[in-house]
Amino acid sequence: MHLDEIELVKIRLPQREERLEDIPGKLKKEYEKAAPWIHEGMRVAIAAGSRGITNIDLIVKETVQWLKSHGADPFIVPAMGSHGGATAEGQRQVLESYGITEEKVGAPVVSSMEVVSLGKTETNPYIPVWMDKNAYNADGILLINRVKAHTDFHGRHESGIVKMLTIGLGKQAQALAVHAYGADGLKNYIPDISKKVLESGKIIGALGIIEDGYDNTADLVFARPEEIFQTDEELLKRSKNLMARLPFEKIDVLIVDEMGKNISGTGLDTNVIGRLRIKGQEDGKPECGKIAVFRLTEESHGNALGIGLADVVTKQIAEGIDWTATYQNVITSGFLERGFLPIQAETDKNAAAIAVRTCGAQCVETIKMARIKNTLELDEIYVSRALWEEIKNMPGAMPLGEWKAMEFSECGRAGAF
């Protein structure tokens, strides 16, 4: 069986849609909950993270304007653990790539890796607690982060505002302290550390963002410090119901056009591909036989954490990796397998062919093959006949083109998605 024998068709794959139409209006309504605690001349640190959050530049800009309208003096701090190569300039550049600059949002970005100690957690193993020095020296801190399923573990609090209190605000120092305990440490100790951060009295509140299955902003919810844990848990449940997914139990070959930090913290969202590559942690669904990835997004700035989740990548990816930034992120996380470089193929076509040749499927009629743009945009994908048979009766699923083999240029680059 050869790659050019396998026919795919582009289909519409319905996802959950719940778009918030009036973002500025909803923000003003939510922030009124914080108005009694904002005073004239108050220096407020707005904590912004490293994820590719839809409308994050607009949300931060509106937050800055609201704070200024109430007499506050806001500034931005990067709250992203070891991302950006674990350097102040690298983290500033990450925010800049998302449109968060003083010129665009109206407040300076103050980036530093310096932290101050908040003591230790009150129960064994007594983990040290850290906070960004610039944020700590402000009169108050307002966090902004998306709440969604984590790519390393599952629990009551995953990727969201509780986690930002810990690894986000605590910079690389906190990331190292928590990741030293592995995936179970993330699940079990982040809440304890976050409680210690809240006890500092520096947190004004947090804005939780959730997105729908089409990557639209679905809702914005502000929580006072005493409401953060409950709000984070409730938003996580809503987010999981909305998130985009692949509705298959098994895929023999999954082709991914692009991976990157702006798509997922692990480049490839483990909740979509069903792979964790963490010892002792169970993989999910779908079960993917072979995964081939063609490109790393420019917004990743060379950080290829998650490259080890793939089986085959192109030399274009390998040659564009910033190994310093990647290793900083991978080593800090402790999940070294995610930084392993897979088999390298000369071209997109070679990468796809290797995945097909080694997947174990025996014939074109039964191979379960899919091609996706990335793990965030799943409303339109390509599927083989065997996968189409599984979902053809799903409400809203429909072909968008003709059955044909993947097309490549003379130099082996895959045709536009």
Side-chain angles (χ1 to χ4, degrees):
M1 179 175 58
H2 299 285
L3 175 64
D4 57 9
E5 297 176 319
I6 304 169
E7 291 187 333
L8 306 177
V9 67
K10 191 173 189 178
I11 67 167
R12 176 172 291 120
L13 185 64
Q15 303 292 342
R16 294 285 299 276
E17 184 171 12
E18 198 171 302
R19 182 197 297 264
L20 178 64
E21 297 296 342
D22 184 10
I23 291 175
K26 184 63 188 297
L27 278 172
K28 290 175 183 177
K29 179 180 178 181
E30 290 296 312
Y31 281 146
E32 283 306 312
K33 301 173 186 176
W37 290 271
I38 306 298
H39 57 77
E40 188 73 28
M42 183 179 190
R43 293 188 70 245
V44 178
I46 301 172
S50 59
R51 300 292 187 258
I53 302 171
T54 301
N55 297 314
I56 187 61
D57 52 344
L58 172 62
I59 292 168
V60 172
K61 180 179 180 179
E62 292 290 329
T63 301
V64 167
Q65 292 178 349
W66 184 87
L67 285 167
K68 285 185 174 181
S69 72
H70 284 69
D73 179 20
F75 64 97
I76 315 296
V77 294
M80 56 183 78
S82 65
H83 296 183
T87 68
E89 178 59 19
Q91 296 200 347
R92 185 196 64 76
Q93 290 177 357
V94 170
L95 291 186
E96 181 179 1
S97 71
Y98 296 144
I100 301 175
T101 64
E102 182 171 5
E103 295 73 23
K104 293 181 179 179
V105 303
V109 175
V110 183
S111 183
S112 170
M113 297 304 292
E114 288 189 78
V115 292
V116 297
S117 172
L118 300 182
K120 295 183 178 181
T121 54
E122 296 177 359
T123 56
N124 192 36
Y126 307 108
I127 300 170
V129 181
W130 305 97
M131 181 184 286
D132 177 286
K133 184 177 181 179
N134 291 308
Y136 181 81
N137 288 332
D139 298 316
I141 303 168
L142 193 159
L143 296 89
I144 299 176
N145 202 18
R146 178 179 57 198
V147 180
K148 65 177 294 187
H150 203 279
T151 53
D152 298 346
F153 68 97
H154 297 299
R156 293 177 62 184
H157 304 284
E158 298 184 21
S159 183
I161 49 182
V162 169
K163 179 170 176 280
M164 181 178 264
L165 281 170
T166 304
I167 295 179
L169 273 179
K171 316 295 282 193
Q172 187 185 29
Q174 194 68 75
L176 287 168
V178 178
H179 280 287
Y181 295 92
D184 287 338
L186 290 169
K187 177 180 178 179
N188 297 327
Y189 302 140
I190 279 180
D192 289 342
I193 297 169
S194 296
K195 289 176 184 176
K196 193 72 176 179
V197 174
L198 289 172
E199 288 172 5
S200 72
K202 289 289 183 176
I203 308 301
I204 298 171
L207 183 75
I209 305 166
I210 58 172
E211 296 173 350
D212 67 14
Y214 291 91
D215 199 26
N216 300 312
T217 304
D219 204 0
L220 303 164
V221 179
F222 179 81
R224 289 283 300 146
E226 65 274 13
E227 301 167 335
I228 285 178
F229 278 88
Q230 181 178 348
T231 299
D232 189 69
E233 188 173 354
E234 291 173 352
L235 289 179
L236 178 60
K237 292 176 182 177
R238 290 179 58 191
S239 175
K240 286 185 175 182
N241 287 330
L242 290 171
M243 72 177 292
R245 296 182 183 276
L246 293 172
F248 308 111
E249 288 291 312
K250 180 180 179 182
I251 299 175
D252 296 317
V253 175
L254 178 63
I255 306 295
V256 186
D257 278 33
E258 61 180 11
M259 64 173 287
K261 296 294 290 185
N262 59 313
I263 294 165
S264 171
T266 49
L268 300 164
D269 192 329
T270 60
N271 298 290
V272 172
I273 65 172
R275 285 187 181 179
L276 286 174
R277 290 279 161 88
I278 298 177
K279 292 179 180 178
Q281 301 295 316
E282 285 190 25
D283 289 340
K285 298 293 181 182
E287 176 188 340
C288 290
K290 291 292 185 289
I291 298 176
V293 185
F294 294 157
R295 282 171 287 285
L296 182 66
T297 62
E298 290 185 10
E299 294 88 343
S300 298
H301 303 282
N303 187 338
L305 183 145
I307 195 75
L309 293 165
D311 300 293
V312 189
V313 298
T314 60
K315 282 194 173 180
Q316 179 183 353
I317 284 185
E319 292 171 355
I321 294 175
D322 179 339
W323 286 109
T324 299
T326 300
Y327 284 165
Q328 283 281 7
N329 205 173
V330 171
I331 294 170
T332 300
S333 76
F335 309 130
L336 302 186
E337 292 88 344
R338 293 178 172 187
F340 292 176
L341 187 61
I343 293 291
Q344 298 176 56
E346 289 289 340
T347 66
D348 296 355
K349 186 174 183 179
N350 294 143
I354 291 170
V356 168
R357 190 182 312 143
T358 60
C359 74
Q362 300 302 310
C363 61
V364 296
E365 291 80 14
T366 59
I367 187 170
K368 297 182 177 183
M369 180 172 169
R371 178 188 175 194
I372 63 176
K373 182 180 180 182
N374 54 53
T375 56
L376 189 62
E377 302 172 68
L378 300 175
D379 54 312
E380 293 184 3
I381 69 172
Y382 289 86
V383 295
S384 65
R385 295 183 188 277
L387 286 182
W388 173 243
E389 286 298 315
E390 290 185 8
I391 63 166
K392 65 181 182 181
N393 295 322
M394 178 185 294
M398 61 183 295
L400 299 175
E402 302 296 325
W403 288 96
K404 57 184 177 181
M406 284 187 66
E407 296 178 340
F408 299 90
S409 67
E410 289 185 4
C411 63
R413 186 179 177 91
F417 196 87

